[in-house]
Amino acid sequence: MSEIPSDIAIARHRRDVAELHDRFASLPADEPVHLVKSTSNLWRPRVQQGNGLDVRTFDRVLTVDPGGRTAEVEGMATYETIADAALARRMLPPLVLDCKTITLGGAVVGTGAESSSFRAGLPHDSVTEMEVLTGDGRIVTATADNEHAELFHALPHSYGCLGYALRLRLDLEPAQRLIRLRHVRTGSTGEWVSALRKITETREFDGERVDFVDGTYFGPDAVHLSLGTFTDTAPYLSDYTGRRIYYHAVRTHTEDYLTIRDYLWRWDTDLYWTSKAFGLENPVVRQLWPRRYRNAETLRRLQMWARRDGRADRVLAAVGRPVEWVLQDADLPAETVPEFLEFFAREVGIAPVWLCPFVMRRRASLYPIETGRLFVSIGFWAPVRLRRGQAPDHHNRLIERKITELGGRKPLYSTAHYREDEFWQLYGGDTYHRLKAAYDPDGRFPDLYDKCVRGR
């Protein structure tokens, strides 16, 4: 039997939408508008212009319907909030992104992959309806087949430049309490890709079901698959929220067990392995660092503070160690992964590197990746030493060119260096400009190129 919708939550949402609409209408019509939010998962410096529109109250799960396998959530609801509400009913969104404070609205307009993406796609693939505040002040409901279908398909990877999702309806699936993990080392990236293809086709490895899969590249002969399977029993449980660090276990364990909640946030405590930049792999520092601040949001804020106004760059340059921040993902066809990682090891040299397979199920006009085709999201996040004579953006430009050469795309949550003509060719320029004219003719929300490349 379906859960009875929360009349109180829905009524409050409608009241908040009306108030937001009035606040938006009261702002000067000739000035740009930016959203005031509690969290961000952008990794690029940005100078915000114009008036702020506070959307922080849109952070609730409105309904969870286990019978219909759907939930209604607000745009600022975090994946942690959504997962907790769904897990209380033994349900879960098909895709839950890796950091607790990522919001569903932000995930849809920014995209992203996680270990269920080989079967569940990207964030927008699980969303069936969006209530959107557009730049011309309308509140519209967009679905894949109504009069706002073109907007619905263009919101993924639009970074809030076409509109802001106030409410989203997303699919749910049954979930169990625990995850059994298997960590399998392969001897090359080619072997890793070959195993991944079989897993994607059969949803099995060595005759056992696979519900989640991602990978970690430590070197050309140490490329690991991490395979997760739902279970309700376990001989023991591991905990990677304290002294132990998850990515170390990828190399040292062949089997592990986690609660589903700890599995979902296995990367959040140390933001993969980037916490080592702040000394958090030192046992003494880790013990002294308050547990409530061992999370991705704190580490992101610290890193962005260090990079603000180039302060960290100036200090490092002054001591003869100039660096370039290489904080990116590369979404590439699976068959090109060996070539990319060979190039990356030679020209950039960051390790470990995260590998996450995905198959996009529904088209995204501004992120034109072929649906139904196996891709791998390759994540790398570290400062890289600059040699004498290298430009400040040397490595990032090399990476962007290689991604394009191999037929991939780069998510735009971090810095980008594309020429404007190249950018629009890669990211659906014709569709974007047509929809910008239809839903935000006065440019109240930022332009996609200005926001993602120029940092405005």
Side-chain angles (χ1 to χ4, degrees):
M1 182 175 180
S2 297
E3 179 181 280
I4 298 173
S6 170
D7 294 339
I8 295 175
I10 293 172
R12 181 180 173 186
H13 173 77
R14 289 172 178 164
R15 183 181 68 243
D16 287 350
V17 168
E19 291 176 356
L20 184 75
H21 179 270
D22 291 344
R23 290 202 307 273
F24 185 83
S26 71
L27 296 175
D30 58 347
E31 295 183 14
V33 175
H34 66 267
L35 301 180
V36 177
K37 303 182 291 182
S38 300
T39 63
S40 172
N41 281 278
L42 295 180
W43 288 80
R44 58 172 179 265
R46 185 183 173 210
V47 178
Q48 291 185 322
Q49 299 177 332
N51 298 283
L53 184 67
D54 193 337
V55 294
R56 287 176 291 186
T57 60
F58 289 88
D59 62 354
R60 300 178 294 268
V61 175
L62 301 174
T63 68
V64 176
D65 178 4
R69 296 189 176 187
T70 62
E72 300 263 349
V73 309
E74 293 180 314
M76 281 300 297
T78 66
Y79 270 107
E80 181 180 33
T81 301
I82 298 166
D84 284 349
L87 285 171
R89 297 155 177 86
R90 293 181 68 88
M91 304 295 289
L92 201 61
L95 171 67
V96 176
L97 289 188
D98 42 11
C99 298
K100 295 177 180 178
T101 58
I102 296 177
T103 64
L104 181 60
V108 168
V109 301
T111 73
E114 237 295 331
S115 58
S116 63
S117 289
F118 78 109
R119 58 180 176 83
L122 300 182
H124 70 283
D125 283 314
S126 301
V127 173
T128 59
E129 180 178 294
M130 288 183 273
E131 178 186 61
V132 182
L133 169 67
T134 62
D136 57 7
R138 285 179 289 165
I139 307 292
V140 304
T141 299
T143 69
D145 55 5
N146 72 357
E147 68 271 28
H148 301 291
E150 196 171 15
L151 177 65
F152 181 83
H153 291 296
L155 283 170
H157 212 253
S158 67
Y159 288 87
C161 295
L162 293 175
Y164 177 71
L166 303 176
R167 178 188 55 80
L168 305 96
R169 179 179 297 151
L170 75 158
D171 294 329
L172 300 176
E173 64 182 19
Q176 292 172 262
R177 298 185 307 108
L178 307 171
I179 295 289
R180 178 195 174 210
L181 275 170
R182 288 174 288 165
H183 301 298
V184 180
R185 176 173 175 167
T186 65
S188 69
T189 52
E191 183 182 339
W192 187 89
V193 171
S194 178
L196 177 65
R197 286 198 180 280
K198 293 178 182 177
I199 292 166
T200 303
E201 291 168 3
T202 65
R203 305 286 173 88
E204 291 184 349
F205 182 83
D206 279 352
E208 296 186 41
R209 190 182 76 252
V210 174
D211 297 311
F212 303 92
V213 57
D214 63 353
T216 312
Y217 171 94
F218 294 98
D221 60 349
V223 192
H224 290 252
L225 281 165
S226 295
L227 311 170
T229 303
F230 278 120
T231 181
D232 277 323
T233 61
Y236 63 89
L237 289 174
S238 293
D239 181 355
Y240 297 105
T241 63
R243 288 179 296 175
R244 301 174 68 193
I245 299 170
Y246 174 72
Y247 87 94
H248 290 171
V250 171
R251 303 188 81 171
T252 59
H253 290 46
T254 57
E255 185 178 65
D256 211 346
Y257 291 86
L258 294 170
T259 68
I260 179 60
R261 198 177 191 282
D262 283 350
Y263 176 77
L264 294 175
W265 315 125
R266 68 201 182 282
W267 295 119
D268 187 85
T269 300
D270 289 277
L271 192 52
Y272 291 82
W273 31 77
T274 61
S275 66
K276 62 185 176 182
F278 300 96
L280 276 172
E281 292 197 11
N282 181 305
V284 176
V285 175
R286 197 173 187 87
Q287 184 69 25
L288 294 174
W289 196 292
R291 183 183 283 260
R292 68 182 181 276
Y293 294 129
R294 284 186 225 151
N295 55 59
E297 177 63 13
T298 297
L299 295 169
R300 188 198 68 83
R301 287 177 183 270
L302 285 171
Q303 191 169 132
M304 293 305 294
W305 176 85
R307 293 172 60 201
R308 187 178 301 156
D309 302 324
R311 62 186 69 174
D313 296 343
R314 289 194 298 271
V315 171
L316 291 168
V319 298
R321 297 182 63 84
V323 300
E324 177 185 358
W325 296 88
V326 180
L327 312 169
Q328 307 286 352
D329 279 37
D331 290 351
L332 293 166
E335 64 273 16
T336 70
V337 169
E339 180 179 344
F340 180 84
L341 286 175
E342 181 182 357
F343 148 84
F344 189 80
R346 181 180 68 249
E347 299 292 344
V348 184
I350 294 173
V353 171
W354 186 53
L355 307 172
C356 186
F358 71 90
V359 177
M360 196 160 75
R361 300 184 303 177
R362 193 177 68 221
R363 67 182 176 88
S365 305
L366 306 189
Y367 204 58
I369 280 178
E370 183 180 343
T371 59
R373 184 179 182 184
L374 181 61
F375 275 70
V376 176
S377 183
I378 303 176
F380 34 89
W381 315 285
V384 177
R385 182 82 177 270
L386 286 167
R387 299 191 186 98
R388 185 183 297 276
Q390 288 182 335
D393 55 4
H394 170 80
H395 298 92
N396 281 293
R397 288 186 181 275
L398 275 180
I399 291 166
E400 288 179 354
R401 287 198 294 270
K402 192 65 176 179
I403 293 171
T404 302
E405 175 192 327
L406 295 176
R409 291 292 186 276
K410 186 178 89 165
L412 299 173
Y413 67 85
S414 188
T415 54
H417 306 82
Y418 299 106
R419 299 187 318 270
E420 190 165 3
D421 59 336
E422 180 184 19
F423 178 88
W424 292 123
Q425 185 176 6
L426 290 170
Y427 295 107
D430 290 345
T431 299
Y432 171 81
H433 288 114
R434 183 172 64 257
L435 292 176
K436 190 71 168 173
Y439 289 96
D440 187 16
D442 296 324
R444 304 294 304 284
F445 292 145
D447 174 76
L448 186 61
Y449 184 78
D450 284 345
K451 183 173 185 178
C452 295
V453 181
R454 295 185 174 124
R456 296 176 183 171

